[in-house]
Amino acid sequence: MPKIVQQDGRFALLVDGQPYLMLGGQIGNSSAWPSLLPQVWPSLEAMHANTAEAPVYWEVMEPTPGKFDFTNVDALVTGAREHHLHLILLWFGTWKNGNDHYVPEWIKTDTVRYPRMINPRGEPIDVLSANSPANLAADKHAFVELMRHLRTIDGKEHTVLMIQVENESGGVGSVRDFSLVAEQQFEGNVPDELVSALHKTPGTWKQVFAGDADEYFQAYSQAKYMNEVAAAGKAEFPIPMYMNVWLSYPPAELPERRIPNPGIGYPSGGAVQRMVPLWKAMAPSIDVIAPDMYSDDSTFFRETLNTYSRPDNALMIPECGGGLNYARYFFYALGHGAIGFSPFGVDRIGWGMPAPAAGAPASAEDSQRGGHGENFALIAPMDRVIAELNFHGKLKTAVEEPGSAQQEIDFGPWQATVSFGFPQPDGRRPPGSTGNIGRALVAQLGPDEFLVTGMQAAVAFHQPGHLPGLRMQILRAEEGTYQDGVWHLTRLLNGDQTDRGLQFRDRPTVVRVRVGRF
Ligand code: DGJ
């Protein structure tokens, strides 16, 4: 079974017993239909993805209570197999982007039995209440049927690697549920399990969390709800489960006003940055809390990677935008030990990565243009090798930022100077690349041996305190490729290809280099 393991503070998603790096592509919200999938698979292939992230719609799967239709799910599993892809299925259940838009019509129209969240003005909104046992029971029942079905059709093949429980859970339109049931709970004391997990002093929600009480109450209610859904699903078919998060973003152009605005700026109750400790403690059946990345501000992106890569949480980016910035940040994620990275909207049928020219069909070129395709083309042939090296803490990356065209990667007795942009004339600092898109990856294969790749970068090894070339030499630099984990030499590099560092320009290039001291 696929599973997430941890060792020395690092994580791996094990697939068939080996670390797996998910190079994903999330398909459009309304693309998981047998009629559309023939257009979807070529986009994923053009992107060199190894995994498709695709939704399962509750409204389609359970059109009448207790009657299940798995046609769309089966089409996804069959199609993924035919296209040699793994799958991550996204359960669009109670929550989708902080609303309830994917619940079946029989739930949408029966607000007495399946109550909505009530806002502070006493009005129902289009979010199901997390404080309703009936809502929980209905979602759990459907999710369990899905997992049971997957056990039947995928118990041996393991095409489906992980399940996303709900989608960007939370409430848009109210900081918490103000229904009578929720009000009664809110008046009581904060449950002991939460008080002790967050090292608080017991008391009512207002006493313990003061001005943040509403959001904490909503997050607690949702975490318990989703944990129960995940646990029940796992009891049927125990594959890893994660949740994705609509983050709390600083308001545009007002970075000094970093005021979190739950229910307006983001769906209240989700595992936004400051709610991660609550969610980790209250939803142990959810293996990973994974941030959706829709800001290409470099500082924000890096802060977010730091927040979500924790000793108790594997880093995984289940969604991000397209474009060269996001593509560059893939290397930041790798440097943080990410188990997966997946741009959103790869099939271009609707909202997604930069759209093709008006009226033009999505083509392979379009998929490349998002910038992610060239990363995946570079890494996909050695995805297992990279996942293994990362799991064992052997991999480091350098990412170009404006004004930092030269960076150091430190392996102790060996260091690597990474210089971005070409040409790099003698006696001058490297120029930086056009658009600052340089990135490099160095992984240690042995005491004096490294795997190196990148784009718009030159990488020169040296000893600490010595310039490259002083009391060290390249013994052998092999350009080559991995096929099924086995290295194949293309040529030896020397002379102009090594004297000013190993060079990685536009053509995907991977080098294994052995260095020596004298
Ligand atoms: C984040 C959601 O999780 C996705 O399903 C999709 O709606 C994207 N936003 C783009 O809007």
Side-chain angles (χ1 to χ4, degrees):
M1 298 294 287
K3 63 177 175 185
I4 291 177
V5 292
Q6 190 193 21
Q7 183 184 292
D8 302 329
R10 288 180 299 273
F11 292 90
L13 169 62
L14 294 190
V15 177
D16 303 324
Q18 298 296 321
Y20 181 89
L21 174 64
M22 187 268 284
L23 302 172
Q26 184 165 145
I27 73 174
N29 286 169
S30 307
S31 302
W33 283 91
S35 52
L36 286 170
L37 289 178
Q39 284 171 259
V40 166
W41 305 120
S43 310
L44 287 152
E45 283 172 340
M47 235 190 113
H48 304 273
N50 59 20
T51 309
E53 290 183 353
V56 175
Y57 316 119
W58 186 6
E59 62 177 348
V60 176
M61 203 188 85
E62 194 182 5
T64 47
K67 298 265 179 296
F68 292 93
D69 178 349
F70 295 108
T71 309
N72 288 28
V73 177
D74 293 345
L76 285 168
V77 173
T78 311
R81 286 181 187 154
E82 281 167 9
H83 293 85
H84 309 291
L85 288 164
H86 280 290
L87 262 184
I88 289 180
L89 293 178
L90 322 173
W91 172 237
F92 283 13
T94 296
W95 288 282
K96 162 69 171 83
N97 293 20
N99 285 118
D100 61 10
H101 296 170
Y102 280 85
V103 305
E105 197 171 327
W106 50 270
I107 287 194
K108 281 182 180 157
T109 51
D110 190 350
T111 54
V112 175
R113 182 144 185 215
Y114 303 107
R116 306 293 180 88
M117 265 177 100
I118 305 295
N119 72 14
R121 290 174 299 285
E123 298 157 339
I125 57 175
D126 58 348
V127 189
L128 289 195
S129 169
N131 303 90
S132 152
N135 291 345
L136 170 59
D139 186 320
K140 192 165 79 171
H141 179 230
F143 189 68
V144 161
E145 288 295 327
L146 170 64
M147 297 309 291
R148 190 173 296 152
H149 183 70
L150 290 178
R151 185 184 67 198
T152 310
I153 64 166
D154 200 40
K156 292 206 180 68
E157 288 83 347
H158 307 315
T159 300
V160 182
L161 302 183
M162 292 178 90
I163 303 288
Q164 180 186 291
V165 189
E166 315 292 344
N167 190 93
E168 293 189 342
S169 69
V172 165
S174 184
V175 63
R176 71 169 170 90
D177 186 8
F178 290 84
S179 66
L180 282 179
V181 173
E183 284 291 83
Q184 274 168 7
Q185 291 173 16
F186 186 74
E187 296 240 297
N189 278 351
V190 176
D192 290 343
E193 55 174 354
L194 183 56
V195 169
S196 64
L198 299 186
H199 311 292
K200 299 282 185 187
T201 312
T204 64
W205 288 90
K206 280 208 170 132
Q207 286 165 344
V208 175
F209 296 109
D212 293 325
D214 291 329
E215 187 180 3
Y216 271 92
F217 175 79
Q218 185 63 26
Y220 173 79
S221 308
Q222 270 175 226
K224 298 296 286 182
Y225 186 118
M226 276 174 55
N227 188 60
E228 200 170 321
V229 171
K234 272 187 174 173
E236 287 300 325
F237 192 43
I239 61 175
M241 301 208 177
Y242 74 96
M243 65 185 289
N244 66 329
V245 181
W246 177 330
L247 292 170
S248 167
Y249 294 96
E253 295 176 20
L254 287 175
E256 72 280 13
R257 291 200 182 171
R258 291 187 170 225
I259 305 166
N261 210 349
I264 298 173
Y266 56 88
S268 186
V272 293
Q273 295 88 324
R274 67 199 186 118
M275 291 293 154
V276 173
L278 177 150
W279 271 91
K280 286 308 299 186
M282 294 300 114
S285 291
I286 295 174
D287 301 279
V288 179
I289 304 179
D292 290 347
M293 298 291 223
Y294 286 101
S295 165
D296 71 349
D297 178 272
S298 171
T299 306
F300 178 81
F301 203 98
R302 283 178 283 161
E303 278 173 9
T304 308
L305 295 184
N306 282 328
T307 303
Y308 287 86
S309 59
R310 303 165 30 119
D312 60 358
N313 196 58
L315 180 66
M316 169 175 166
I317 309 299
E319 290 182 38
C320 76
L324 292 173
N325 279 339
Y326 290 105
R328 176 165 68 99
Y329 302 160
F330 169 64
F331 279 64
Y332 277 134
L334 284 181
H336 270 80
I339 61 169
F341 190 93
S342 177
F344 176 81
V346 295
D347 53 292
R348 311 294 173 86
I349 308 171
W351 204 98
M353 290 203 289
S363 66
E365 261 173 55
D366 296 321
S367 298
Q368 287 281 6
R369 208 183 305 149
H372 296 291
E374 55 183 2
N375 281 341
F376 287 9
L378 189 63
I379 302 297
M382 52 181 182
D383 50 4
R384 292 285 187 148
V385 176
I386 294 294
E388 181 86 35
L389 287 164
N390 222 349
F391 184 43
H392 291 105
K394 304 287 185 199
L395 187 151
K396 298 187 183 213
T397 59
V399 181
E400 185 179 356
E401 293 291 343
S404 67
Q406 198 161 63
Q407 297 177 21
E408 287 291 306
I409 298 183
D410 189 356
F411 286 96
W414 286 110
Q415 298 187 338
T417 301
V418 182
S419 304
F420 294 112
F422 296 97
Q424 299 183 356
D426 292 343
R428 291 187 177 229
R429 309 279 300 169
S433 64
T434 310
N436 303 116
I437 57 165
R439 56 253 204 203
L441 173 162
V442 182
Q444 188 153 24
L445 301 174
D448 301 315
E449 194 175 5
F450 297 89
L451 174 73
V452 194
T453 189
M455 278 172 211
Q456 292 293 324
V459 180
F461 286 86
H462 64 93
Q463 300 187 66
H466 289 288
L467 288 172
L470 282 182
R471 306 301 301 269
M472 64 76 64
Q473 58 199 336
I474 290 178
L475 301 176
R476 189 174 167 91
E478 299 185 358
E479 184 184 293
T481 51
Y482 278 97
Q483 282 158 27
D484 298 326
V486 179
W487 177 250
H488 293 270
L489 172 84
T490 310
R491 58 174 176 163
L492 284 187
L493 300 178
N494 208 334
D496 291 341
Q497 278 63 55
T498 58
D499 291 348
R500 288 171 175 76
L502 306 165
Q503 295 178 28
F504 304 89
R505 300 190 185 216
D506 299 322
R507 196 174 60 86
T509 306
V510 182
V511 177
R512 283 176 67 144
V513 61
R514 199 148 44 79
V515 282
R517 302 172 186 84
F518 62 87

